[in-house]
Amino acid sequence: MSTPSAGQRFIRGILPENPVYRQMLGLCATLAVTNNLKSAVTMGAAVLFVLVCANLMVSLIRHLLTPHLRIVIFTLTIATFVTVADRLLAAFLYPMSKALGPYIPLIIVNCIIICRCEVCAAKQGPLTAVADALGQSIGFTLALVSLAAVREILGTGMWFGFRVLPAAWPDWVIMVLPPGAFLTFGLLLGLTNWISAQRAGKEEA
Amino acid sequence: MPPAVATIDTASPNRSWRDNALLQGWLVLLLAIVFGALLAGVQTALGPAIADNKRNETLSRVPQLIPPPDTAATSAQLEVDTRMLPVSSGGRTAVYRIHRASRDDELAGWVVQVAGQGYADRIEVLLGLSPAADVITGLFVLDQKETPGLGAKIAEAPWRGQFAGKPAALPLEVIKGGGASGNQIDAITGATISSRAVTDIVNRTLADVRDQLATDAGKAAP
């Protein structure tokens, strides 16, 4: 099996190997911050920043890694860039930083990032690692936005805080509460699986 | 043969220094120092901006909680002095952050920043009081994690607006079913606990700081 090229890495992260819908990684953040689109997009951007920086850093030092110390180095790298992202948000987007609360620092333990360091950045060059990081974080952001779009409009009748549905819409409050996250995620996951099953069926025929 | 085994264990050329944990971890140590320096730099650069954000978030609310000047002609800006006021009563100590608002060196009102337990998590509020600390001039919820759609309504203007104009002398009382008057506050339907939590915070704050503020109001500016 040959290693995927930069272009393949990028494309795969978006849909074929989508971190949320295919790899089922980073679900804690996914469920927690998707009750409105603003938080979802901010979270996606924070993960993009951390993943690109961490993948690039790990890729540059990949020849120096030793098998038994690599996880320590991944964690150290990720924690550093997450802290930078957290401080940047607090300085320039203070209301978002407050709204996301502990979920920004918790990116440190988000499995998507350590997974990409291990699978791609520790084995391939900087260009491929950055392409992989971009693909995976765009895939993650798309997944967050898809969940948030459903939850915010059903729960509050709004998108990005602007009213979309008429004021007569009876807000389904449950959609912005934790149960709404599970319901929406389950339904969307089922939908993506159904679509790929349909497409696989067509290819066979 | 035993001597031969001993030579393999100790005299192997790679053995003695390569197993040293510090040497093996050189990259970890180096990265820790580099990243530590990077984070120190980021904190030094952004720390003041973050502290400003926190302070401004509170101070930007103060004017909304202080009644406008009696004469419309006054265009003097509000000046805000902040101090901490620890109050001990009944075996517990609470610390209140008191913002003293003045216009042209004349006391315009007080804004007390205080936090208490809500239904879900800590609720932090700003409570506006008249200069003599006898009337509530406004309430603002700075931070809360109550249930969206129910308890979270404590942060919305229609509910928190009820506090403005209430007398500070009597404890406020939460009633269900609407039609609150005097020292009563209407509970939010489906969120009586959140409503009561905020009202309790207000009552406790009034009991703790009212006398102190009324005394301070008589004195000259600090």
Side-chain angles (χ1 to χ4, degrees), chain A residues 24-187:
Chain A
M24 309 278 281
L25 290 179
L27 293 186
C28 168
T30 303
L31 296 173
V33 306
T34 53
N35 62 6
N36 67 79
L37 280 164
K38 258 191 218 164
S39 311
V41 171
T42 315
M43 187 67 180
V47 166
L48 180 112
F49 169 80
V50 174
L51 189 49
V52 169
C53 293
N55 254 14
L56 182 61
M57 185 77 206
V58 168
S59 175
L60 289 174
I61 58 171
R62 68 188 186 283
H63 298 301
L64 302 172
L65 297 174
T66 45
H68 60 300
L69 289 177
R70 70 185 198 290
I71 301 286
V72 178
I73 288 174
F74 295 164
T75 315
L76 192 63
T77 312
I78 296 165
T80 305
F81 290 115
V82 169
T83 312
V84 172
D86 181 50
R87 298 285 81 189
L88 283 172
L89 274 181
F92 299 112
L93 274 174
Y94 187 69
M96 266 342 285
S97 159
K98 263 190 87 169
L100 289 171
Y103 292 101
I104 293 294
L106 279 176
I107 297 174
I108 295 173
V109 291
N110 190 317
C111 292
I112 296 170
I113 297 167
I114 205 158
C115 163
R116 294 335 290 175
C117 289
E118 171 79 14
V119 171
C120 176
K123 301 189 173 83
Q124 296 187 280
L127 183 73
T128 314
V130 169
D132 181 70
L134 288 173
Q136 293 285 334
S137 12
I138 291 171
F140 181 63
T141 311
L142 283 178
L144 292 188
V145 166
S146 65
L147 274 161
V150 174
R151 293 180 65 194
E152 189 178 4
I153 197 164
L154 294 181
T156 62
M158 297 195 272
W159 268 342
F160 287 105
F162 295 106
R163 188 148 283 285
V164 178
L165 294 179
W169 172 256
D171 296 347
W172 297 2
V173 172
I174 194 166
M175 296 308 283
V176 294
L177 296 177
F182 287 99
L183 288 172
T184 314
F185 181 59
L187 292 173

Side-chain angles (χ1 to χ4, degrees), chain B:
Chain B
M1 286 314 279
V5 173
T7 35
I8 289 165
D9 268 349
T10 54
S12 158
N14 296 335
R15 172 88 191 167
S16 55
W17 63 274
R18 285 240 173 140
D19 280 352
N20 186 307
L22 282 179
L23 282 174
Q24 288 200 352
W26 72 270
L27 184 60
V28 178
L29 297 174
L30 181 72
L31 285 177
I33 293 168
V34 172
F35 287 157
L38 172 70
L39 290 181
V42 167
Q43 183 60 32
T44 314
L46 300 179
I50 297 169
D52 274 357
N53 282 344
K54 281 186 188 160
R55 198 167 47 242
N56 288 341
E57 189 199 17
T58 308
L59 291 187
S60 67
R61 302 298 174 192
V62 168
Q64 299 170 23
L65 299 174
I66 299 293
D70 301 333
T71 47
T74 323
S75 60
Q77 287 291 307
L78 270 183
E79 279 183 39
V80 180
D81 288 309
T82 304
R83 69 185 167 99
M84 307 301 286
L85 175 68
V87 176
S88 303
S89 66
R92 66 184 174 85
T93 305
V95 180
Y96 295 91
R97 192 182 284 266
I98 312 274
H99 306 280
R100 180 188 195 278
S102 53
R103 265 188 211 98
D104 283 338
D105 289 335
E106 197 173 320
L107 183 59
W110 304 95
V111 173
V112 185
Q113 187 174 350
V114 63
Q117 183 60 44
Y119 175 63
D121 203 339
R122 198 172 152 273
I123 298 176
E124 189 172 18
V125 301
L126 289 176
L127 178 68
L129 292 172
S130 61
D134 53 356
V135 177
I136 297 174
T137 53
L139 179 83
F140 187 83
V141 179
L142 277 177
D143 200 10
Q144 56 88 17
K145 294 186 178 61
E146 303 302 283
T147 319
L150 296 170
K153 286 183 184 159
I154 57 168
E156 291 172 12
W159 190 77
R160 62 182 174 83
Q162 292 185 75
F163 285 86
K166 296 284 180 198
L170 290 168
L172 297 171
E173 202 184 321
V174 176
I175 61 157
K176 294 192 200 182
S181 62
N183 65 334
Q184 294 172 326
I185 296 288
D186 280 326
I188 298 164
T189 311
T192 315
I193 298 180
S194 300
S195 312
R196 217 168 258 153
V198 175
T199 311
D200 285 348
I201 293 171
V202 171
N203 283 336
R204 206 171 53 234
T205 306
L206 288 174
D208 281 352
V209 304
R210 207 163 54 85
D211 290 344
Q212 180 68 45
L213 295 185
T215 319
D216 288 359
K219 295 185 206 155

